[in-house]
């Protein structure tokens, strides 16, 4: 890859715990945020002094859009949280791998203690000919980019 070339955003993989998630169409909402703490003080000369400093890191959510297929591992993980209310066993570490044109992993994004907090099924219509997709919102406690 030449210097200055960007990675393509359509080449990625996602691992949930011990298995690779298939047929993922989109991952959105990858953000790393931090609170901003603002302190206002008055100097000895009476001037207002405003200082900003980093606060606590925020947790986040991502949304995964994928085709509805016969794969059960990802669906079973969603059910563990949404249906069985078994959050202790449902918490998983997720790794999103960004790949270059040769399918080599060039960057990893790790989400710690992730669990499914929302599921949205496909829009169904008698006249539609598009594929059925589902969206799953994943809540996580920490994000690390390497």
């Amino acid at each position: 890859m030449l210097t200055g070339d960007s990675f393509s955003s359509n080449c990625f993989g996602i691992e949930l715990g011990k298995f690779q998630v298939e047929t993922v169409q989109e991952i959105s909402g990858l953000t790393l945020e931090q609170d901003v703490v603002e302190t206002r003080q008055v100097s000895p000369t009476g001037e207002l002094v405003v200082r900003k400093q980093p606060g606590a890191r925020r947790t986040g959510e991502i949304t995964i859009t994928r085709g509805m297929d016969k794969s059960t591992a990802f669906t079973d993980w969603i059910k563990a949280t949404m249906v069985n209310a078994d959050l202790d066993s449902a918490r998983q570490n997720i790794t999103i791998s960004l790949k270059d044109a040769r399918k080599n992993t060039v960057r990893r994004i790790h989400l710690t203690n992730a669990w499914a907090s929302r599921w949205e099924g496909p829009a169904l219509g008698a006249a539609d000919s598009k594929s059925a997709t589902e969206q799953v919102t994943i809540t996580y406690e920490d994000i690390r980019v390497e």
Side-chain angles (χ1 to χ4, degrees):
M1 179 172 277
L2 296 173
T3 301
D5 282 353
S6 295
F7 302 121
S8 175
S9 66
N10 66 348
C11 202
F12 60 92
I14 182 167
E15 297 169 23
L16 173 64
K18 299 175 183 135
F19 63 90
Q20 184 82 22
V21 179
E22 315 90 3
T23 65
V24 174
Q25 292 181 353
E26 180 180 29
I27 299 173
S28 60
L30 285 168
T31 58
L32 181 59
E33 292 185 73
Q34 194 166 18
D35 289 335
V36 176
V37 178
E38 184 175 276
T39 305
R40 294 175 178 262
Q41 301 173 343
V42 177
S43 71
T45 61
E47 293 181 51
L48 178 63
V49 178
V50 179
R51 298 275 188 221
K52 291 187 179 188
Q53 61 190 27
R57 192 171 0 171
R58 293 184 186 180
T59 60
E61 294 181 342
I62 62 168
T63 301
I64 297 174
T65 303
R66 71 182 205 120
M68 303 209 40
D69 57 17
K70 295 179 182 177
S71 173
T72 60
F74 190 67
T75 304
D76 290 344
W77 178 71
I78 295 167
K79 286 180 184 176
T81 305
M82 306 295 292
V83 178
N84 302 338
D86 187 7
L87 190 58
D88 290 335
S89 67
R91 289 182 194 267
Q92 295 285 331
N93 294 333
I94 293 177
T95 300
I96 300 167
S97 303
L98 299 168
K99 301 176 185 286
D100 63 13
R102 294 186 178 150
K103 307 291 189 246
N104 297 317
T105 298
V106 293
R107 179 161 295 167
R108 286 185 175 87
I109 302 166
H110 301 282
L111 308 176
T112 305
N113 289 330
W115 50 278
S117 60
R118 182 174 185 264
W119 177 84
E120 183 178 336
L124 304 172
D128 286 344
S129 62
K130 61 185 178 183
S131 62
T133 61
E134 64 181 347
Q135 288 189 331
V136 181
T137 300
I138 308 293
T139 301
Y140 58 89
E141 293 178 1
D142 192 27
I143 183 171
R144 185 173 44 99
V145 180
E146 68 174 49

